[in-house]
Amino acid sequence: MAFRILLGFLLGSLLTSFQFLNADTRQLKRSDGSVVEFHIYLPAVEKFSLIIGLQGSECKPALKGGMGRFAPIFDSLGFGFLLVEKPGIYGGSADEKCPEEYLELNTIAQRISDIQLVILALRNDEAFLKNWNGSLIWEGGSEGGTVA
């Protein structure tokens, strides 16, 4: 029982510290000119593995959905964490109505293509490569598990 209380306290502390973690939000252009937005957390360690968090089919920003809450846990363990937004989801805003771009373009194939685009960009980013050990870990929930 004491172990569960301690574990709950530690996880709660980590999740509360999420507000202090800053995601580096970046955008890339797809071949059709539309935008892919992604968020990356880089830990302060010499070498890290990168976890790619893939949320389910919900029409919410990745930072506001279920995957965003894992960032402080992975950071505290020395992992980098990448969240790639779905088409039409930008700026971390969560409107009640799904954007038209999301309704038209959000497919598993598009999500895979977007992730490939982001990983290619990161593999060409010297600052990122300096500390990344080349390892990718895929973590997905619901539809995100299918994408992974």
Side-chain angles (χ1 to χ4, degrees):
M1 180 65 131
F3 176 75
R4 286 185 186 177
I5 293 170
L6 178 60
L7 183 61
F9 174 77
L10 290 173
L11 287 176
S13 296
L14 288 172
L15 293 175
T16 303
S17 69
F18 177 67
Q19 62 188 331
F20 301 111
L21 287 178
N22 291 318
D24 181 10
T25 298
R26 303 179 191 180
Q27 292 185 338
L28 297 170
K29 293 224 184 232
R30 295 182 186 98
S31 59
D32 67 0
S34 61
V35 173
V36 176
E37 185 169 280
F38 66 98
H39 316 281
I40 188 162
Y41 299 84
L42 301 176
V45 296
E46 189 171 317
K47 288 290 181 185
F48 64 88
S49 295
L50 184 65
I51 297 173
I52 302 173
L54 301 161
Q55 70 185 43
S57 60
E58 62 193 359
C59 180
K60 290 183 184 175
L63 289 176
K64 306 250 194 259
M67 286 296 150
R69 72 177 181 258
F70 293 111
I73 296 169
F74 295 141
D75 181 71
S76 70
L77 297 172
F79 289 95
F81 191 51
L82 173 67
L83 296 168
V84 179
E85 294 290 0
K86 291 179 234 152
I89 309 291
Y90 307 108
S93 64
D95 298 328
E96 288 187 27
K97 186 176 175 187
C98 291
E100 199 62 36
E101 185 179 357
Y102 170 86
L103 297 172
E104 290 176 18
L105 299 177
N106 185 46
T107 63
I108 290 174
Q110 184 63 58
R111 290 183 70 185
I112 292 169
S113 177
D114 288 350
I115 293 162
Q116 289 173 328
L117 180 67
V118 170
I119 291 171
L120 180 62
L122 290 173
R123 285 187 170 161
N124 289 311
D125 180 336
E126 288 184 33
F128 173 78
L129 289 176
K130 185 170 69 172
N131 293 55
W132 181 44
N133 68 10
S135 177
L136 292 174
I137 300 166
W138 301 81
E139 195 276 322
S142 191
E143 182 183 270
T146 302
V147 174

